[in-house]
Amino acid sequence: MTTYHVRAAGEEDVDAVVGLRRHAEDWLRSAGIEQWTRSEYGARVVKGWIGAGSTFVVETEDNEIIGSLSLDAGDPTFWTEEEMRAPALYLYKFIIRSDHRGTGLGDVLLDWSCYRTEMAGGLWLRLDCWRDNFGLHKYYLDRGFQYLTTRTDPVRMSGALFERPAELRLAKKPAAYLIDHTLGGIEFPNIPSL
Ligand SMILES: CC(C)(COP(=O)(O)OP(=O)(O)OC[C@H]1O[C@@H](n2cnc3c(N)ncnc32)[C@H](O)[C@@H]1OP(=O)(O)O)[C@@H](O)C(=O)NCCC(=O)NCCS
């Protein structure tokens, strides 16, 4: 079982996280998947979220950044005010470098995101994603998310809305282990339940 470390991203991580985003764009393009086609816009969004303190990076034991995700408020382009009154956190820019995918790390990170959602008082982990990418929709449906609806925007291609109860823990053992440095180096998923 591989051990990874998760911590809050700082300004010093901007290049690494933008690099991950570009890596994901290359992978998507070579797989013929229409998603994340606006590279400069994506890099600006990544920088903004790191500046806002809502991005986390995942590192190997050798301190190499191989994944990242952001947890923040809902995007008002896609979620209504009423929907955003529900206690929820919203997952953005979930990326794992190709050579660490399919290891169980993604499932652990979704459980961890749910855990953080609960810590923040949330009942739902939500996301909006590329609305025509049904392969990606399947990824989330297979992991306990429910499809809610699709909203369109003239410029942005996201808008397929999903949510998962924050209490869900679906990672199968043996899976990747996370050392959570946002909580002083506690091992996840061995963190006691809330
Ligand atoms: C999403 C991600 C973090 C999941 O990592 P993981 O839990 O290790 O899962 P895997 O990468 O093994 O993917 C599982 C399946 O979903 C598919 N998948 C993953 N991302 C996808 C995408 N963006 N579009 C279509 N299919 C996707 C994979 O091809 C794989 O399909 P397979 O089982 O038929 O081989 C990782 O795939 C990734 O970084 N993807 C690119 C960035 C991305 O699209 N992030 C989500 C934004 S909302």
Side-chain angles (χ1 to χ4, degrees):
M1 189 174 341
T2 313
T3 298
Y4 295 94
H5 299 259
V6 63
R7 63 172 174 80
E11 294 297 335
E12 69 281 9
D13 300 311
V14 165
D15 288 348
V17 180
V18 170
L20 272 181
R21 159 84 190 201
R22 302 248 198 262
H23 165 86
E25 289 167 3
D26 290 345
W27 176 77
L28 289 161
R29 201 175 309 113
S30 64
I33 298 170
E34 166 86 13
Q35 181 197 323
W36 288 0
T37 48
R38 295 165 65 205
S39 195
E40 287 315 311
Y41 167 78
R44 276 200 308 278
V45 171
V46 164
K47 286 175 195 162
W49 261 314
I50 290 178
S54 49
T55 295
F56 301 91
V57 289
V58 182
E59 294 179 320
T60 61
E61 296 276 63
D62 303 330
N63 300 108
E64 201 182 352
I65 294 177
I66 56 85
S68 72
L69 59 87
S70 301
L71 293 170
D72 211 319
D75 184 334
T77 304
F78 300 118
W79 299 89
T80 65
E81 274 183 33
E82 190 187 342
E83 286 165 344
M84 288 194 292
R85 275 198 283 275
L89 273 186
Y90 297 73
L91 174 70
Y92 298 97
K93 307 294 173 225
F94 181 31
I95 305 171
I96 297 175
R97 206 175 68 191
S98 306
D99 53 336
H100 291 264
R101 291 183 198 161
T103 60
L105 174 61
D107 296 332
V108 173
L109 288 173
L110 291 175
D111 283 3
W112 181 80
S113 299
C114 278
Y115 180 79
R116 287 201 72 90
T117 301
E118 283 195 297
M119 278 202 337
L123 295 177
W124 303 99
L125 178 65
R126 288 177 166 172
L127 60 92
D128 63 81
C129 71
W130 210 260
R131 49 186 188 255
D132 295 333
N133 184 347
F134 300 108
L136 184 59
H137 298 183
K138 181 177 184 316
Y139 175 82
Y140 288 118
L141 290 169
D142 288 348
R143 286 160 181 81
F145 284 84
Q146 187 189 351
Y147 168 74
L148 299 175
T149 190
T150 296
R151 306 239 163 86
T152 52
D153 176 82
V155 180
R156 295 172 58 195
M157 289 303 296
S158 189
L161 308 187
F162 291 81
E163 70 180 11
R164 156 176 157 167
E167 65 187 4
L168 281 192
R169 302 287 181 274
L170 297 180
K172 293 185 191 73
K173 291 178 184 167
Y177 258 113
L178 272 190
I179 307 294
D180 187 344
H181 295 274
T182 71
L183 293 173
I186 299 176
E187 204 172 83
F188 185 89
N190 287 347
I191 297 170
S193 321
L194 293 169

